[in-house]
């Protein structure tokens, strides 16, 4: 193995940490991802900064916590003044581009104010989260049908899938026993094979594009963000993945009746959402999860293709590989569907990192249970390319010292995550204004503390209740611990890096130097 | 009087709230400012968001708290993504420009990243804090000698003041009894008349430029930020202002021996600064303050000229006038010099507002003791021009309901201010890293609470100790109150408006509407 020249930053969408073979799932088949884990390190306690697509990703890409970067929900523009991964990589001479999804909304208002042409070189980067948009595809059509990112639809048309939106009618729909087209948007159709042939699926297509691009880049160093839409809904997979799993492969639901007795008000409001109600129906859950698992195994097959390419092209020895996800999926656990709240099913993600350096040989195949955050990736990439750390801006920490087994490492003891549920029905049922919907999670080795503005806290004893079935937020016995967590939360919020247009070095250089600069104040 | 068409936003630099006749100073002569107060409202509890030039001004101009906008000290670039007063005014069709000082540092790194040409129209605005730079002059030469803003020096050259930097050698120096030029930078020279004739002083020149500009603007609506450098140091005034006051006009110092017994560590570190040591010498203090007072009376004379112009041109009845300052000046009180800390001498500023509307007739000549913050001005201006409120972005509140005497107004009960002393010698003597230097003030009607990260709190009982001579931060008797203030501080920090690229209306419109947008998740 050798020095890091390239970075392959693979992200899935809505992939739970525990739905991989290497992470303990008893029935799912992910041999290629498992093999990646055996070549690198599997971080078993990796947390996203926000368990929802857009906000989580903006933290992955900026290296900053959610309420620091401010893009607190899907569709909230990332402020034009927030530098991203691409900016840091380009400073180090590394071309950085995207194939797939970012869920980034451009800050059109500030771009207009600054006269920044969205079609100029810098305008495109500012619109695409700092990535060169080698292939932007956010999935979720029809939302994207108004944008410029119709390539996958055009590709499908070219392969003989007709219609205006074959993303929907072919890749995300199936045909029922009556020969009628049924949309994968609806859970009841999760058992159908998608119309699309598996070799033309969105996952296959994105992988093709990634391999083509890496080929095209030749020997230039690159950072490729390959960002799969799957296994995110619509939950419908092409053959043979659609029936690779059956109900007998579905693991038991993680919930208890106690959870429905006086639940936390915010959690309770989420429990009333349609997705939670449907996934709480065991029959429906067992109908959908096999498709979810199939989509994961499909991704796994294509990870195998990527690794083959890297090996064949000789790039395996000079490429740092990350495999992760933007958040998990409740799938009915805790009487919830989707994500956004802070149970492990939602906030914990896979995080496998293969560091090609010889220095990392000692940790290959190991699992690491240190508390890792999504914002650690940007500092890791900068560190891996020997760039200067940016502690005035980046709120994460490089993982290289862990990957390279540095001794006596003083690591964080708490991971943080945040939510802003202003856009959800829960806000309406709780009768809250749009700026009263913030929540925070603190996760230590043995405890999880959750604080929603305006409500009491949640507390879980992970040592004795690893499945988070008993909320101790109202336990008098734990009031001291709750107070300590609240103090830690406040301290952390006070340390947000909002002063990020000046480096610490620049401050050191300028401290107490007015006289040297010809400014004499208070001098007799 | 009539509707607001124009805004004349006058700011002094380093002018203490209590150095005006209308605010109770026993000896200073400020008849024109007093007259403004009689025509409008005098806010006796107006606080800046940061008692230091640049950070305070960035709050005045953005309508946002200091650690929200992030420009936490002089020279820290204001992030390109922060909209300012000029942006809001232009949206309402009002030309907005600057004559004088902003202390704004442009965010060159982000401008370069975005390919924004500093000489383009939007590049100039982005570099000048959103103001059209009708005349940028930050004083403080030689710092500014590298910039494009040498107009005042050119003017002085044209008036016969020779040399490379007549700002220094004429406007801010005097000639001693031996005929030698002495710099106004040094406190010992404060008694000398400046070389410059008073009609060519920086204050006179800025006033000329303002009157010229208002004349040129004719009947177009405008917002003019006239931002005087004075009475900020160098403390040296042209004749006749240099000896308008003598030591007998100087009010007694506000300090006690008790303050030097075990002072708060941060305050103690500031007490060791050279400016504090010098101003703590009563002889030196009495030598300098008459010059400071002369500079204020000089400003007052020019305020008279401005009002004459507004009356003569008929603009008085359609112009909202604000007279304020960016922070105060310790002048030796509390054993301190300069500013930055949170005693009233530093953090409280003059705030006189003349609202031409008939609706404000009922409050003319009145003093208002409600807690007012610098960030209230941007919302006030927007409100005055009938613009839409921007509660997702602006952290202040319009003052019009106070000026127009609305009944049953639910007003804030705490004013906040912040400091970041990373650049000061105090940081070095306290041996702190550059990101461990934050401090906060909460000021209610009767109490002041100060919290510096990493140190114990300060508490002042303003009812029984209005001069803030007894710090109760260690008083066991007050521990409950201290706890309450700490909770309030934490709550306030948690509510910072970091999610500001989306409006509350947009959130309301989009809440719980996925299905309407063709996105069906969790639907059976």
């Amino acid at each position: 193995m050798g020095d890091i020249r390239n970075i392959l930053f693979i992200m899935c969408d809505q992939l739970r940490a525990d739905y991989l073979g290497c992470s303990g799932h008893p029935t799912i088949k992910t041999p290629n991802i498992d093999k990646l884990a055996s070549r690198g390190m599997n971080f078993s306690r990796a947390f996203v900064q926000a368990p929802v697509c857009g906000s989580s990703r903006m933290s992955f890409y900026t290296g900053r916590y959610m309420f620091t970067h401010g893009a607190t929900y899907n569709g909230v523009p990332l402020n034009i003044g927030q530098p991203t991964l691409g900016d840091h990589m380009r400073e180090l001479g590394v071309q950085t581009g995207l194939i797939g999804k970012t869920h980034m909304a451009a800050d059109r208002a500030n771009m207009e104010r600054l006269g920044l042409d969205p079609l100029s070189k810098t305008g495109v980067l500012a619109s695409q989260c700092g990535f060169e948009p080698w292939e932007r595809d956010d999935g979720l059509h029809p939302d994207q049908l108004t944008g410029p990112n119709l390539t996958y639809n055009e590709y499908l048309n070219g392969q003989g899938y007709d219609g205006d939106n074959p993303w929907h009618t072919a890749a995300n729909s199936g045909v029922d026993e009556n020969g009628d087209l049924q949309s994968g948007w609806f859970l009841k159709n999760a058992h159908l094979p998608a119309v699309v042939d598996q070799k033309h699926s969105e996952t296959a297509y994105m992988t093709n594009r990634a391999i083509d691009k890496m080929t095209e880049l030749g020997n230039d160093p690159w950072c490729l963000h390959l960002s799969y839409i799957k296994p995110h809904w619509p939950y419908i997979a092409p053959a043979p993945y659609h029936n690779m799993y059956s109900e007998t492969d579905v693991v038991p639901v993680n919930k208890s009746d106690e959870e429905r007795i006086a639940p936390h008000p915010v959690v309770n409001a989420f429990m009333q959402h349609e997705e939670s109600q449907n996934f709480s129906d065991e029959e429906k859950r067992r109908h959908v999860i096999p498709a979810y698992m199939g989509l994961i195994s499909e991704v796994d097959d294509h990870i195998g293709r990527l690794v083959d390419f890297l090996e064949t092209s000789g790039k395996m020895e000079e490429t740092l590989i990350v495999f992760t996800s933007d958040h998990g999926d409740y799938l009915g656990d805790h009487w919830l569907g989707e994500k956004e709240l802070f149970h492990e099913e939602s906030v914990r993600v896979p995080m496998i990192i293969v560091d090609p350096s010889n220095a990392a040989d000692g940790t290959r195949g190991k699992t690491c249970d240190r508390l890792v955050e999504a914002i650690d990736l940007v500092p890791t990439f900068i560190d891996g390319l020997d760039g200067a750390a940016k502690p005035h801006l980046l709120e994460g920490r490089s993982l290289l010292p862990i990957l390279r087994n540095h001794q006596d490492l003083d690591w964080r003891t708490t991971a943080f995550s945040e939510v802003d549920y202003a856009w959800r029905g829960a806000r309406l049922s709780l009768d809250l204004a749009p700026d009263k919907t913030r929540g925070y999670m603190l996760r230590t080795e043995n405890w999880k503390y959750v604080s929603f503005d305006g409500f009491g806290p949640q507390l879980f004893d992970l040592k004795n209740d690893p499945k988070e079935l008993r909320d101790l937020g109202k336990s008098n016995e734990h009031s001291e611990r709750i107070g300590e967590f609240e103090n830690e939360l406040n301290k952390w919020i006070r340390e947000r890096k909002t002063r990020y247009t000046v480096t610490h070095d620049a401050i050191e250089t300028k401290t107490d130097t007015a006289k040297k600069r010809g400014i004499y104040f208070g001098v007799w």
Side-chain angles (χ1 to χ4, degrees), chain A:
Chain A
M1 304 293 269
D3 290 341
I4 298 169
R5 290 192 78 233
N6 313 306
I7 292 164
L8 178 57
F9 172 20
I10 307 168
M11 188 178 283
C12 285
D13 197 313
Q14 200 136 332
L15 172 57
R16 278 172 62 140
D18 55 352
Y19 270 62
L20 296 176
C22 58
S23 299
H25 197 285
T27 57
I28 204 163
K29 296 176 195 77
T30 52
N32 293 295
I33 296 167
D34 300 348
K35 196 169 168 194
L36 269 192
S38 73
R39 291 175 157 198
M41 203 163 205
N42 189 357
F43 291 88
S44 61
R45 286 182 184 148
F47 297 93
V48 289
Q49 266 49 71
V52 70
C53 301
S55 322
S56 172
R57 289 159 181 272
M58 297 310 107
S59 283
F60 269 108
Y61 306 149
T62 61
R64 291 157 64 77
Y65 288 111
M66 183 183 86
F67 275 110
T68 313
H69 63 62
T72 67
Y73 201 67
N74 299 331
V76 178
L78 181 69
N79 189 280
I80 194 85
Q82 298 276 341
T84 60
L85 174 59
D87 301 310
H88 305 303
M89 294 293 97
R90 276 186 291 279
E91 281 176 15
L92 300 171
V94 175
Q95 283 189 74
T96 301
L98 164 77
I99 291 176
K101 170 172 174 171
T102 61
H103 221 131
M104 189 257 194
D107 185 4
R108 297 279 175 215
N110 271 324
M111 288 175 69
E112 189 175 334
R113 174 171 69 83
L114 297 168
L116 185 54
D117 177 0
L119 298 180
S120 67
K121 191 180 167 194
T122 54
V124 168
L125 291 173
S127 303
Q128 299 290 348
C129 213
F131 292 109
E132 293 182 45
W134 293 333
E135 174 102 24
R136 167 91 182 249
D137 185 329
D138 268 16
L140 301 193
H141 308 279
D143 241 17
Q144 304 302 318
L145 280 176
T146 53
N149 305 299
L150 298 177
T151 323
Y152 179 53
N153 264 352
E154 288 167 0
Y155 166 80
L156 288 175
N157 283 156
Q159 299 298 327
Y161 304 94
D162 295 334
D164 289 342
N165 187 7
W167 177 88
H168 180 221
T169 52
N172 288 287
S173 291
V175 175
D176 67 14
E177 54 271 30
N178 300 321
D180 294 329
L181 196 69
Q182 297 293 350
S183 171
W185 282 114
F186 301 108
L187 302 180
K188 66 180 176 188
N189 299 320
H191 62 297
L192 299 174
V195 169
V196 80
D197 187 283
Q198 55 100 353
K199 68 176 182 287
H200 304 136
S201 76
E202 207 161 8
T203 299
Y205 174 73
M206 292 299 157
T207 309
N208 298 344
R209 292 287 293 115
I211 291 172
D212 290 349
K213 188 70 200 181
M214 289 187 289
T215 305
E216 177 192 326
L217 288 163
N219 285 319
D220 294 340
W222 46 260
C223 173
L224 167 59
H225 181 40
L226 172 57
S227 188
Y228 291 115
I229 284 77
K230 297 299 176 181
H232 192 283
W233 40 259
Y235 299 110
I236 189 164
Y241 304 104
H242 76 294
N243 64 0
M244 180 179 278
Y245 301 98
S246 69
E247 294 201 9
T248 58
D249 296 309
V250 174
V251 294
V253 71
N254 178 31
K255 66 185 182 187
S256 73
D257 287 336
E258 185 184 339
E259 286 181 291
R260 288 207 288 189
I261 303 166
H264 187 282
V266 176
V267 178
N268 184 49
F270 272 82
M271 283 176 172
Q272 310 314 315
H273 285 172
E274 185 172 8
E275 72 277 8
S276 298
Q277 296 283 322
N278 279 328
F279 272 101
S280 292
D281 179 329
E282 185 61 17
E283 198 173 325
K284 291 174 178 167
R285 175 180 171 274
R286 288 180 170 268
H287 183 79
V288 175
I289 289 178
Y292 178 74
M293 294 171 66
L295 290 167
I296 294 167
S297 284
E298 185 187 13
V299 167
D300 184 80
D301 280 344
H302 291 283
I303 299 294
R305 292 177 60 211
L306 287 167
V307 171
D308 284 348
F309 169 81
L310 291 174
E311 286 181 335
T312 309
S313 62
K315 294 199 180 301
M316 196 70 192
E317 299 191 359
E318 56 180 38
T319 301
L320 180 84
I321 306 174
V322 171
F323 178 83
T324 188
S325 176
D326 61 348
H327 54 74
D329 191 330
Y330 273 112
L331 296 173
D333 292 342
H334 307 288
W335 310 94
L336 292 163
E338 284 286 296
K339 54 252 183 181
E340 304 199 32
L341 298 183
F342 297 118
H343 297 92
E344 298 283 279
E345 290 85 351
S346 169
V347 74
R348 191 166 72 90
V349 290
M351 180 72 77
I352 295 165
I353 305 184
V354 183
D355 174 0
S357 163
N358 293 327
D361 288 348
T363 64
R364 298 194 195 288
K366 299 214 168 143
T367 294
C368 174
D369 64 2
R370 288 190 197 260
L371 297 162
V372 164
E373 301 184 324
I375 55 174
D376 295 336
L377 290 186
V378 171
T380 301
F381 297 167
I382 292 174
D383 194 12
L385 295 165
D386 294 325
K390 299 184 175 182
H392 65 294
L393 171 72
L394 301 175
E395 298 185 315
R397 294 181 59 178
S398 170
L399 299 172
L400 284 198
I402 297 178
L403 290 160
R404 297 178 181 179
N405 208 20
H406 290 197
Q407 300 303 305
D408 301 324
L409 190 62
D410 183 27
W411 196 250
R412 71 167 65 88
T413 55
T414 308
F416 294 87
S417 191
E418 302 180 290
V419 68
D420 178 3
Y421 57 98
W423 285 259
R424 298 307 309 277
R427 174 174 75 80
L428 303 179
S429 60
L430 292 166
D431 196 22
L432 299 174
D435 56 355
K436 301 294 180 196
T437 51
R438 299 186 185 189
Y440 308 90
M441 176 201 81
L442 285 73
R443 208 286 195 188
T444 67
E445 186 183 351
N446 292 324
W447 297 90
K448 181 176 287 182
Y449 177 75
V450 175
S451 176
F452 290 103
D453 281 359
F455 297 96
Q458 291 190 285
L459 181 72
F460 296 97
D461 177 349
L462 301 179
K463 200 164 176 185
N464 296 303
D465 175 28
K467 293 183 158 189
E468 302 174 286
L469 295 172
R470 178 164 294 179
D471 182 354
L472 302 171
K474 292 179 195 156
S475 158
N476 288 330
E477 201 183 318
H478 294 84
S479 60
E480 192 176 338
R481 188 174 298 278
I482 285 170
E484 286 166 9
F485 274 118
E486 193 64 16
N487 287 342
E488 186 179 353
L489 170 58
N490 286 323
K491 181 169 182 296
W492 172 74
I493 293 175
R494 282 163 80 144
E495 288 177 351
R496 284 186 187 289
K497 295 186 192 289
T498 61
R499 181 193 72 190
Y500 61 99
T501 56
V502 64
T503 66
H504 290 180
D505 285 350
I507 294 172
E508 292 286 8
T509 305
K510 209 175 172 185
T511 301
D512 204 17
T513 61
K515 277 186 192 172
K516 284 186 200 158
R517 291 179 282 124
I519 298 173
Y520 301 86
F521 60 86
V523 180
W524 178 251

